[in-house]
Amino acid sequence: MKKRLLLLGIFFALTIGLVFELGLLFFVFGEPKEIRLGGDDIAFLANLAEQIRLGRMVEVDGGELAFFFGGRLHQFHVLSVQERLGVALSNALRGNYGQASSYNGAVNDYLLPSLGWSALAYLGMLFGSSTVVLAPKVKLSKKAGYIVLGCGGGLLLLAHVLTPLVPSLYPLGIVLLCLALGCIGLWIGQGRTWKRNLCEICFLTAFGAISLFLLGLSYKQCGGTLDSLFVYALYNQDDHLYSVAFFFMMLLPVLVLFGGLLLRVFFNKKPQKEVAAEQA
């Protein structure tokens, strides 16, 4: 068991590292290499204030750019992409994810509510998938099993058809997704022991995470889950927002999968014959 836990820990650390690196790449390749401040005086000052707000320019003595306005000389330094990344990481360690570029506000203003909605969505999917544990107690005939599976597939299809047609029904789509996972879990759990079925809950929820992302593609708005926030930010080319949303969006299913693998390690015990053979 210790060897399995060690391998699982290494797998978990490498996966989190990969997700983190991908988030950094989103930020690096999304940041503009050139800062343009063209336009008339009003547009110039507005663009300058915006770049300062986004942390791409700072006013310092001896900066490479000098402008005369407001009755005095102002000097600015344009931060390189590497410098911006360093500042962003330093602020993120303090819980500050910086300013969004697609709206005049902080990333946290939309990230925290979306994180809360995503947590509720995953709780709903976990609750729906928990029918796997109840399945051994609910004996279904072969015909009834296929009917339940068909209902699950129908609910899943309805969620993916209804949400693009009426985006305001995005929460209803998540509810239908949870119900679909419940039906599929009830079918999968037939003929299995409840201990083995514990880890299947997490794998079903991870499957639900893919469906949740597909639902988010049709809901390009803030105020939803992390998936819809990510799509919104990607659509509006807001690298400050989609790089952070991507990390947390991928972190949740990774945690669920890690939990499922942990359950498999602890509950999937070897039969006594195999244990005796190993000891011999």
Side-chain angles (χ1 to χ4, degrees):
M1 180 180 288
K2 291 183 179 179
K3 186 180 292 186
R4 290 182 180 181
L5 287 175
L6 178 61
L7 291 174
L8 186 57
I10 294 173
F11 167 75
F12 178 70
L14 290 176
T15 305
I16 293 297
L18 177 62
V19 172
F20 182 73
E21 288 292 334
L22 288 175
L24 295 184
L25 288 176
F26 269 119
F27 181 87
V28 169
F29 287 106
E31 277 292 282
K33 308 300 183 293
E34 297 180 356
I35 304 297
R36 298 185 179 182
L37 303 172
D40 54 24
D41 292 344
I42 296 177
F44 167 78
L45 292 176
N47 291 333
L48 180 62
E50 178 65 7
Q51 297 306 319
I52 294 174
R53 183 184 73 86
L54 296 175
R56 294 170 180 166
M57 294 179 64
V58 291
E59 186 172 3
V60 293
D61 293 332
E64 65 271 17
L65 297 179
F67 305 105
F68 189 84
F69 59 86
R72 66 186 185 91
L73 183 68
H74 298 264
Q75 295 177 311
F76 298 91
H77 168 62
V78 179
L79 278 71
S80 64
V81 175
Q82 289 76 16
E83 288 175 319
R84 296 175 216 165
L85 180 60
V87 173
L89 289 175
S90 177
N91 290 335
L93 291 175
R94 296 191 291 269
N96 175 20
Y97 294 100
Q99 300 293 311
S101 60
S102 57
Y103 67 96
N104 190 17
V107 171
N108 286 3
D109 293 343
Y110 279 148
L111 176 66
L112 296 179
S114 296
L115 192 58
W117 284 115
S118 288
L120 286 175
Y122 272 85
L123 284 175
M125 289 191 293
L126 279 170
F127 183 76
S129 302
S130 65
T131 54
V132 173
V133 176
L134 301 176
K137 298 180 181 180
V138 183
K139 302 293 184 180
L140 296 176
S141 63
K142 190 173 182 180
K143 183 178 181 180
Y146 285 127
I147 292 175
V148 170
L149 179 62
C151 290
L155 289 170
L156 189 63
L157 180 63
L158 181 61
H160 286 286
V161 171
L162 189 64
T163 305
L165 293 176
V166 189
S168 60
L169 295 180
Y170 180 71
L172 178 60
I174 297 176
V175 173
L176 293 175
L177 172 60
C178 297
L179 293 175
L181 292 178
C183 293
I184 297 172
L186 191 60
W187 178 77
I188 289 177
Q190 294 295 307
R192 293 170 177 259
T193 61
W194 71 271
K195 285 185 177 181
R196 186 172 181 180
N197 284 342
L198 282 174
C199 57
E200 308 298 338
I201 298 174
C202 298
F203 286 100
L204 259 181
T205 307
F207 167 75
I210 301 174
S211 293
L212 187 62
F213 174 72
L214 294 176
L215 288 179
L217 291 176
S218 58
Y219 190 72
K220 305 183 184 70
Q221 298 180 34
C222 293
T225 60
L226 288 168
D227 304 83
S228 62
L229 180 65
F230 172 74
V231 175
Y232 163 83
L234 202 62
Y235 184 76
N236 290 279
Q237 299 181 350
D238 189 341
D239 62 299
H240 290 196
L241 193 55
Y242 65 64
S243 56
V244 178
F246 172 81
F247 174 76
F248 286 102
M249 180 184 70
M250 296 300 296
L251 180 63
L252 288 176
V254 168
L255 290 176
V256 170
L257 272 176
F258 178 70
L261 293 174
L262 270 180
L263 289 173
R264 183 177 287 275
V265 169
F266 284 115
F267 287 100
N268 192 20
K269 297 181 179 179
K270 294 182 179 179
Q272 292 296 327
K273 292 182 179 179
E274 293 184 14
V275 174
E278 290 181 358
Q279 290 177 350

